[in-house]
Amino acid sequence: MNNSTVSSNRGSGLYNTGSGSMTVNNSTISGNRAYQGGGINRTSGTVTLKNTIVAGNTASSGGPECYGAVSSAGYNLLGELSGCTFTPTIGDLTNVNPQLGVFVEALGYYSLQAGSPAIEAGNPAVPGSEGDACLETDQRGLARPAGTRCDIGAFEYEGAGTTPAYIVVNAGTPQYAAVGTQAIAPLQVVVIDENGDTVAGQTVTFTAPASGASAKFASTAKNTSTAVTDINGLAASSAFSANSTPGGYVIQATVAGGLGSADFQIVNGSQVKTYSADDTDRVPGTLKCTAAQPQCTGGGNPLADGAHAHAMGTYAFYWNQHGRTGLDNNNMTIISTVDYCEKDEYGDCYFYNAYWSGDQVVYGNSENYPLADDVVAHELTHAVTQYESNLFYYYQSGAINESFSDLWGEYYDQLNTLGDDSLDARWELGEDLDYGTMRDMSDPLVYGDPDKMSSGNYYESDGDSGGVHYNSGINNKAVFLMVDGGEFNGWNVAPLGWEKVIAIYYEANTNLLSSGADYSDLYYALQQACTNVIGKHGITSGDCVEVTEALDAVEMHAQPATNFNTDGAYCDGDNFINFVFTDDLESGTGNWTFANGAYKRWQLDS
Ligand SMILES: [Ca+2]
Ligand SMILES: [Ca+2]
Ligand SMILES: [Ca+2]
Ligand SMILES: [Ca+2]
Ligand SMILES: [Zn+2]
């Protein structure tokens, strides 16, 4: 590995478990975090370093920079030797801070600060000559050496830049700010010259929108503020407060003479409060953080951190997709509790589930539920459904409720680049849980769920509230067919993509369905929803034909079995049936019809 920067991994920067031998030259390995061997983990094979920086990595168990035996061919800089089997040889610097500049993600490397011990400390042989010499150019393609001798690491220090060419975001985007409260992490930019060298002493102007959803900076009490770049080219805004208008906006940072702007994506949203039940059944429990602490505990309680980040992420997702302001569309506080459990008869306390209680989300203390992005958005979507169609949570209305949570949860998952987002995991639900995937929208049969109404997997008894987590498979399969397209059950559905499909489902959930809706109602509601949103998101009447084909492919309008009763069991003797509608048909069939397409049934259109 030559001229490379390895940074920001959760897991070792380099990991050699095979028999291979790895040689690393002129590289910088920093800012990685793992259980052991944050920078380098070598359990077999060999790793040989030359002219390389391994510093600023962390490990929770041992060996922050490296774990296992790592060999030296000279002129390396190691931040910390503990936990590492490393015998320094010529030119090696150990237990030394390399004084790296900031890691600019957009550029992919760390600059070096002016006083860095890595400068002029590489192998003194002519760069590019044989043996263990430095490489001819650095990671940017600039010739080595600058000065009289090459530097350790991937970046050859040329001296500070003087002429700003670019301004890039270093930290602070995207960001979430609770409406009307002070946020949050300052906005950070780096100003660099044409060669990527940092430029000090430049005035950076941060500008938030003049009206609508926006923010005010603490330093000026206005929507603009300035800051001057330091020796690392770094400038940070003062803290800022979200104004009272919910919504998304951009704060721009510019520098005189620089090209373009550094843009920060901010969403003003509801308050977010995350608690721990501390391994008891008490909710909400102990407050861990609010929206003013976007990192929540900053690693102290990773489950709280996960629940908190995904709660804000789900808010931003619903805003971006649907212009929705929070779970109730009125910015109710999002409350989450992690580390919840219930004692069993032996006094052990575990809880293998996560749920929306009607007021808040509760995550059991097992399986790492709050770290699974699709699970978190699934639970929060139960809240959205509660405030919209309010589908009853049993039998087919419950299965639809479950499927809605799955589809918004999975779309949130697929968009966010967090967790396992490999192609294999696409359409799986819960792939980031300890026990792994529990449902598959593309092929519900894999987990024993029905993929069409006539499937033998249709759940007919009253367990699981009438099979809500099984029979969700029917609509899940329809969503998969609409988004990705495909042949199924004699139908060939053209792909519409998520943006169109999610708009159609949102229209159905917010404007068309009512609490008792069953799959037959959903069959009509989705077709009506599609018609309602033609012209939006590029949706055409042709797309609505594909929607109908997907619904017919899963036989959504059919009964799962002849005379199958999709409704709940009758009340027992202690309860009274409350009739909300009766018709004795004494005055004829009136508005009743018996002609609703392929699957005939009596229907009253009011
Ligand atoms: Ca040099
Ligand atoms: Ca994801
Ligand atoms: Ca995923
Ligand atoms: Ca998933
Ligand atoms: Zn659910």
Side-chain angles (χ1 to χ4, degrees):
M1 187 176 84
N2 291 331
N3 268 334
S4 298
T5 299
V6 179
S7 177
S8 312
N9 292 288
R10 293 295 168 263
S12 305
L14 301 183
Y15 193 7
N16 194 354
T17 57
S19 57
S21 38
M22 173 171 238
T23 304
V24 182
N25 195 3
N26 271 135
S27 292
T28 301
I29 300 168
S30 184
N32 304 290
R33 184 174 82 197
Y35 176 68
Q36 58 189 24
I40 300 171
N41 189 347
R42 191 215 64 93
T43 53
S44 62
T46 66
V47 176
T48 304
L49 306 178
K50 43 189 169 185
N51 305 304
T52 287
I53 295 172
V54 186
N57 301 288
T58 51
S60 48
S61 166
E65 315 298 5
C66 50
Y67 181 82
V70 172
S71 311
S72 173
Y75 304 97
N76 300 294
L77 188 156
L78 265 73
E80 197 183 321
L81 266 186
S82 72
C84 188
T85 308
F86 181 88
T87 308
T89 178
I90 183 165
D92 284 334
L93 305 172
T94 56
N95 296 318
V96 162
N97 179 346
Q99 298 181 38
L100 297 175
V102 290
F103 177 67
V104 181
E105 201 171 317
L107 302 176
Y109 55 77
Y110 293 89
S111 58
L112 292 172
Q113 296 183 28
S116 166
I119 295 171
E120 306 287 271
N123 191 313
V126 176
S129 61
E130 296 302 300
D132 299 322
C134 285
L135 298 162
E136 225 170 339
T137 58
D138 79 352
Q139 183 177 343
R140 300 170 294 172
L142 296 175
R144 287 193 177 97
T148 56
R149 190 169 150 183
C150 66
D151 306 346
I152 304 175
F155 181 92
E156 182 75 12
Y157 180 75
E158 303 188 296
T162 51
T163 311
Y166 303 102
I167 181 166
V168 292
V169 172
N170 183 53
T173 188
Q175 224 181 122
Y176 185 93
V179 175
T181 65
Q182 168 152 331
I184 308 220
L187 312 171
Q188 290 187 21
V189 295
V190 172
V191 175
I192 51 178
D193 71 5
E194 223 166 59
N195 291 333
D197 293 311
T198 56
V199 187
Q202 301 297 310
T203 298
V204 173
T205 304
F206 297 90
T207 308
S211 61
S214 185
K216 267 185 188 160
F217 292 95
S219 58
T220 57
K222 289 197 290 197
N223 68 318
T224 59
S225 78
T226 59
V228 178
T229 58
D230 67 10
I231 190 162
N232 295 313
L234 183 73
S237 74
S238 69
F240 60 95
S241 304
N243 70 7
S244 57
T245 307
Y249 55 100
V250 173
I251 298 179
Q252 291 193 318
T254 53
V255 63
L259 295 170
S261 59
D263 293 349
F264 297 85
Q265 309 289 334
I266 316 290
V267 171
N268 289 357
S270 66
Q271 182 54 271
V272 178
K273 292 183 175 173
T274 301
Y275 297 78
S276 171
D278 301 307
D279 292 311
T280 72
D281 60 1
R282 290 189 290 273
V283 292
T286 313
L287 181 65
K288 290 292 171 185
C289 55
T290 70
Q293 297 139 295
Q295 308 300 325
C296 197
T297 68
N301 184 332
L303 297 179
D305 298 352
H308 197 63
H310 287 312
M312 295 186 291
T314 302
Y315 183 103
F317 166 77
Y318 268 100
W319 165 260
N320 292 330
Q321 294 302 318
H322 304 302
R324 185 179 184 86
T325 52
L327 304 180
D328 61 349
N329 207 13
N330 193 28
N331 278 318
M332 70 181 282
T333 299
I334 303 177
I335 298 171
S336 313
T337 295
V338 302
D339 305 322
Y340 174 86
C341 66
E342 294 174 359
K343 266 201 177 121
D344 65 16
E345 56 196 302
Y346 309 107
D348 295 329
C349 202
Y350 291 103
F351 192 70
Y352 296 91
N353 209 344
Y355 65 93
W356 169 254
S357 75
D359 305 304
Q360 68 156 99
V361 204
V362 178
Y363 299 100
N365 60 354
S366 305
E367 310 303 330
N368 286 323
Y369 295 104
L371 304 183
D373 46 9
D374 49 7
V375 171
V376 175
H378 173 112
E379 300 309 337
L380 293 171
T381 297
H382 279 312
V384 172
T385 296
Q386 173 184 314
Y387 284 96
E388 298 297 344
S389 58
N390 198 19
L391 287 156
F392 295 140
Y393 199 65
Y394 44 74
Y395 293 89
Q396 286 196 354
S397 56
I400 298 168
N401 188 326
E402 265 304 304
S403 178
F404 282 3
S405 279
D406 277 355
L407 74 94
W408 269 284
E410 179 61 12
Y411 187 31
Y412 170 70
D413 171 2
Q414 290 183 16
L415 274 182
N416 64 14
T417 71
L418 301 168
D420 178 1
D421 285 340
S422 62
L423 215 52
D424 282 352
R426 186 173 164 86
W427 299 111
E428 291 185 352
L429 293 155
E431 68 273 15
D432 297 321
L433 295 175
D434 287 355
Y435 63 55
T437 305
M438 49 194 172
R439 291 186 289 280
D440 185 332
M441 297 177 72
S442 65
D443 189 2
L445 298 180
V446 173
Y447 294 93
D449 305 325
D451 57 358
K452 58 185 179 191
M453 204 60 90
S454 61
S455 164
N457 286 344
Y458 192 93
Y459 193 95
E460 297 190 358
S461 62
D462 60 3
D464 185 34
S465 302
V468 295
H469 293 93
Y470 298 88
N471 299 337
S472 52
I474 291 164
N475 185 59
N476 281 359
K477 179 77 180 191
V479 170
F480 158 74
L481 288 171
M482 289 178 208
V483 173
D484 278 4
E487 286 181 24
F488 181 65
N489 201 19
W491 296 87
N492 192 347
V493 183
L496 303 182
W498 265 118
E499 199 189 331
K500 292 179 179 178
V501 174
I502 208 81
I504 294 164
Y505 272 89
Y506 192 72
E507 170 71 7
N509 195 15
T510 56
N511 287 330
L512 298 177
L513 292 174
S514 56
S515 305
D518 64 10
Y519 266 134
S520 176
D521 297 316
L522 183 63
Y523 177 84
Y524 289 112
L526 287 169
Q527 294 176 75
Q528 182 65 53
C530 189
T531 302
N532 291 0
V533 295
I534 285 174
K536 297 174 184 165
H537 309 280
I539 294 169
T540 65
S541 57
D543 294 333
C544 298
V545 174
E546 303 301 327
V547 168
T548 303
E549 289 187 358
L551 300 175
D552 283 328
V554 301
E555 305 161 354
M556 194 176 280
H557 193 18
Q559 294 301 304
T562 309
N563 295 325
F564 181 77
N565 179 13
T566 60
D567 304 317
Y570 285 117
C571 306
D572 61 30
D574 296 335
N575 295 298
F576 297 96
I577 298 171
N578 177 24
F579 292 100
V580 294
F581 172 81
T582 59
D583 186 348
D584 60 11
L585 300 174
E586 287 301 309
S587 46
T589 50
N591 291 325
W592 292 87
T593 53
F594 188 65
N596 291 298
Y599 308 103
K600 287 190 171 49
R601 55 159 50 187
W602 285 104
Q603 179 169 324
L604 177 68
D605 296 312
S606 55

